[in-house]
Amino acid sequence: MTATPGHNSFDPAASRQRCMRYRRRILDISQHVSALHAAGAFSCMELTDTCYHGLMRPDGQDTFLMSKGHGCMAQYVILEDRGVLDRKHLDEYCTAHGILGAHPDYGNPGIEASTGSLGHGMAMAVGMAVAERNKAGGAADAGAVYCVLSDGEVQEGSTWEAFMMGSTLGLTNLVALIDNNDFQSLGRTSETHPSFYPLDEKLEAFGWETATVNGHDAEAVYNAVTNRKGGKPFCLIGRTTKGKGVSYMENVPIWHYRSPNPEEYAQALAELKEIAS
Amino acid sequence: MRNTFAEVLYDLAKDDPRIHIVVADISPAGSMGKFREEFPERFINVGVAEQAMIGICAGLALKGMRPFAYTIATFSLYRPFEMVRDDLGYQNLPVTVVGIGGGVIYSTLGGTHYAQEDIAIAGAIPNMSIIAPCDPVEATEATKWLVNREAGGPVYFRFGKAGEPTLTGPDSDPWEIGKLRYLRRGEDVAVLSYGVITKMASEVADALTEDGNSVSLAVCHTLKPLDTAGIADLLRRHKRVIVVEEHAPQGGLAPQTKQIAWDIRAECELHTFTLKDEFVHCYGSHEDILAAHGLSVERILATVRP
């Protein structure tokens, strides 16, 4: 199969505006709950936006899976923007009255699988891609599956089992996007496992086609995926910054969990507006 | 039982494109080979990668398929436990986790290959059902039900390997999911069992019949949801009840039967025979390992005969 061309008209400038707006929305939600996971959502914001607004076909035949479940705020705000989730749902995020938790739950609107325990998403994405291919009788326009992973969860053996199967099964309708922010809870992933990088060589050795781009450059992400050679499953490695867009959050591990206080919130909003302008 | 399962699944797969089999490096027995040849796009061998086996089944089910994860019980349930729990149980997906060689059937392979706690482990997962047929006929009925059910969550399907005798017959109650089933009915004593060890239970029932008792033999092929009403009725109708089970003392049929007996203030004599809460370090036939756990016709009779 040759690379699938872009299905939507993808406007990088519009994507930048959306992503800043999404980050502000996440910060708004942060002011009434303690569990946030903002930093991880900010790092995969452009990757997720590019999937929803550029790569996935608008008729709903493609699937998005947020394997790095703690990045789900990025997905929630997009689903809200697209009318899949109500404003009420996000306002009630992580409350006793709400349906949305800090990890995606299968059964909620727009959520294709329960993820968040790391290392589960890739194998489910493989199964989904097989099902889509079989339903299409092997046709080249079979539903595609886009799976966003954290670089931390690529440490899980289960993820490598799934990578291995993705290429063994020749799943050309499978696209992984690794949010390579170089952070896990305790510190930098590159310090936890210095031999872990570079990821592209390892994935290529496992039979995948890869490309590495700045994961905050939506145009580069979009072009890399749509211009892939095809014939293999594809992995986009997005070099990203945890907490991207808010100076005091960037690359500071505590913001994996923390919500900003009112002063920090005001500063974050100001910084995001500045970037957006 | 294993070959029967493969044959039934192959026949059903001809008309049901939802059926997928995901195996973990296990040789395709009997008709599984035909399935693999005729439906290669629906037969996936993940190799020695059981976590992927379960995750891929979850992905298939999320897209409307009816997948069967198929390998030795310890590797289908224990190795990828979190995937079974989260991907299948939490998401309540219609995936069948086939555990070949439940109990201590792999008698020469040692404790690493014994699934002697599987009922307790699978049963603790919300949404997870458990079916354990006693013979190839029950395996056939269960497989048809697993494929044709319209809804429902994951099922742990525990069965033996090859060569189990047929224990059910025309006089047996019909197979019905979630229902206790009498293979024969009596008035005095009831022997209750499930799975491959029902053969031993049947021999116990035979011996007690020869002693002059009127003996029921019942099988509880669905361990979860358990037929609580059926077991309560069995406890009320018999003076002596004997549970024979190839499973650890915790979490299986025996302790659950005791619980029901307490709840209904049962007045019958109740004897339960299970595997020991031990890893036995010996090798031999299936019967040898059961005997090492204290499970033999002779020992059961020695205990239950007045």
Side-chain angles (χ1 to χ4, degrees):
Chain A
M1 178 178 140
T2 54
T4 310
H7 303 294
N8 294 341
S9 55
F10 184 67
D11 177 355
S15 173
R16 276 194 293 280
Q17 292 303 316
R18 275 196 307 271
C19 288
M20 289 307 120
R21 180 159 52 83
Y22 292 151
R23 286 185 169 94
R24 286 199 292 270
R25 176 69 175 129
I26 292 170
L27 287 167
D28 285 344
I29 295 164
S30 78
Q31 292 307 284
H32 53 85
V33 293
S34 57
L36 188 63
H37 281 160
F42 283 11
S43 70
C44 67
M45 197 70 250
E46 283 78 13
L47 295 175
T48 309
D49 179 77
T50 307
C51 288
Y52 275 102
H53 291 103
L55 298 169
M56 291 162 68
R57 287 169 284 189
D59 58 6
Q61 72 185 102
D62 298 328
T63 302
F64 179 86
L65 195 57
M66 181 63 86
S67 185
K68 54 165 280 178
H70 52 274
C72 65
M73 286 303 297
Q75 186 182 17
Y76 290 168
V77 293
I78 292 174
L79 290 172
E80 178 187 43
D81 194 30
R82 294 168 73 89
V84 178
L85 284 170
D86 295 339
R87 183 175 182 85
K88 175 179 183 293
H89 291 141
L90 270 81
D91 288 343
E92 292 176 346
Y93 167 78
C94 282
T95 67
H97 307 294
I99 62 168
L100 300 178
H103 295 116
D105 243 346
Y106 174 57
N108 279 332
I111 303 300
E112 301 278 355
S114 296
T115 50
S117 176
L118 297 179
H120 288 243
M122 201 63 232
M124 287 196 279
V126 167
M128 288 175 167
V130 171
E132 293 291 2
R133 185 172 68 178
N134 287 350
K135 279 197 258 186
D141 64 349
V145 180
Y146 296 91
C147 181
V148 169
L149 303 134
S150 72
D151 49 351
E153 76 178 324
V154 177
Q155 293 169 5
E156 293 278 6
S158 55
T159 300
W160 290 101
E161 288 185 13
F163 279 143
M164 189 161 63
M165 287 310 298
S167 57
T168 297
L169 295 167
L171 296 172
T172 54
N173 58 338
L174 178 60
V175 176
L177 302 101
I178 298 178
D179 178 17
N180 188 176
N181 62 27
D182 193 25
F183 269 95
Q184 54 198 119
S185 253
L186 198 60
R188 287 196 176 274
T189 52
S190 56
E191 288 171 2
T192 306
H193 294 297
S195 63
F196 188 54
Y197 297 99
L199 280 176
D200 56 350
E201 292 175 4
K202 295 174 181 65
L203 281 157
E204 284 166 17
F206 267 61
W208 285 58
E209 181 187 345
T210 73
T212 304
V213 302
N214 174 356
H216 297 303
D217 181 344
E219 187 173 20
V221 172
Y222 178 80
N223 288 337
V225 178
T226 54
N227 293 330
R228 68 190 189 272
K229 285 184 282 189
K232 294 177 177 180
F234 182 78
C235 182
L236 185 287
I237 299 163
R239 291 190 308 269
T240 59
T241 301
K242 196 155 183 177
K244 175 71 176 177
V246 177
S247 60
Y248 60 81
M249 283 189 189
E250 290 190 359
N251 297 330
V252 179
I254 188 66
W255 291 99
H256 182 80
Y257 299 107
R258 224 191 121 189
S259 286
N261 63 31
E263 293 74 32
E264 291 163 336
Y265 168 68
Q267 182 188 340
L269 280 189
E271 288 185 11
L272 288 170
K273 279 177 186 164
E274 198 174 304
I275 294 168
S277 62
Chain B
M1 212 181 276
R2 187 177 57 189
N3 296 346
T4 304
F5 165 75
E7 185 68 36
V8 174
L9 208 57
Y10 166 73
D11 283 339
L12 292 169
K14 290 175 191 167
D15 298 318
D16 191 341
R18 300 175 308 164
I19 297 175
H20 285 61
I21 302 177
V22 186
V23 309
D25 193 41
I26 193 157
S27 57
S31 294
M32 201 69 91
K34 280 193 285 181
F35 188 111
R36 186 186 195 181
E37 278 173 31
E38 287 187 37
F39 316 113
E41 75 285 359
R42 291 194 269 147
F43 183 95
I44 297 170
N45 177 18
V46 297
V48 190
E50 293 82 5
Q51 297 177 93
M53 175 182 70
I54 299 297
I56 289 170
C57 282
L60 287 163
L62 284 163
K63 291 294 181 185
M65 301 304 183
R66 287 296 163 90
F68 287 74
Y70 182 87
T71 190
I72 293 171
T74 47
F75 308 126
S76 66
L77 185 62
Y78 297 1
R79 177 76 59 90
F81 178 75
E82 201 211 23
M83 280 67 188
V84 173
R85 177 186 182 272
D86 291 4
D87 300 355
L88 309 186
Y90 187 44
Q91 300 190 111
N92 200 24
L93 299 178
V95 174
T96 302
V97 178
V98 179
I100 306 165
V104 294
I105 281 179
Y106 286 109
S107 56
T108 58
L109 300 183
T112 57
H113 285 58
Y114 297 161
Q116 61 193 58
E117 325 87 340
D118 53 346
I119 305 296
I121 288 170
I125 301 174
N127 292 329
M128 189 106 190
S129 299
I130 304 171
I131 299 174
C134 73
D135 72 358
V137 179
E138 282 205 334
T140 300
E141 295 294 327
T143 305
K144 287 178 182 169
W145 180 85
L146 285 162
V147 170
N148 293 323
R149 65 193 173 126
E150 285 308 312
V155 176
Y156 174 58
F157 191 31
R158 183 211 227 207
F159 60 61
K161 42 180 188 174
E164 291 87 359
T166 296
L167 301 169
T168 54
D171 295 335
S172 302
D173 290 347
W175 190 93
E176 190 181 343
I177 184 70
K179 290 290 180 195
L180 193 73
R181 185 181 188 217
Y182 287 85
L183 306 190
R184 57 182 110 145
R185 286 180 184 269
E187 305 289 333
D188 308 324
V189 184
V191 184
L192 176 62
S193 190
Y194 65 91
V196 176
I197 203 171
T198 302
K199 178 171 176 286
M200 186 184 291
S202 174
E203 289 167 12
V204 169
D206 290 345
L208 293 172
T209 303
E210 283 173 22
D211 289 349
N213 299 290
S214 171
V215 182
S216 294
L217 176 64
V219 288
C220 188
H221 49 76
T222 307
L223 276 305
K224 188 185 169 190
L226 193 66
D227 184 4
T228 304
I231 292 175
D233 185 60
L234 179 138
L235 290 164
R236 287 194 187 100
R237 284 174 182 274
H238 298 85
K239 297 185 196 73
R240 247 186 305 162
V241 173
I242 300 155
V243 182
V244 180
E245 178 175 29
E246 186 175 350
H247 186 266
Q250 294 82 16
L253 180 63
Q256 293 189 84
T257 301
K258 285 181 182 170
Q259 185 178 324
I260 295 167
W262 170 262
D263 289 346
I264 65 166
R265 304 289 190 264
E267 293 177 355
C268 63
E269 224 180 87
L270 177 58
H271 300 273
T272 60
F273 298 89
T274 67
L275 298 172
K276 294 176 183 173
D277 183 24
E278 287 177 16
F279 291 111
V280 299
H281 291 270
C282 65
Y283 305 91
S285 68
H286 185 202
E287 289 71 24
D288 291 335
I289 308 304
L290 290 174
H293 273 282
L295 287 169
S296 68
V297 174
E298 295 70 27
R299 194 206 145 216
I300 293 169
L301 289 173
T303 305
V304 303
R305 274 180 171 142

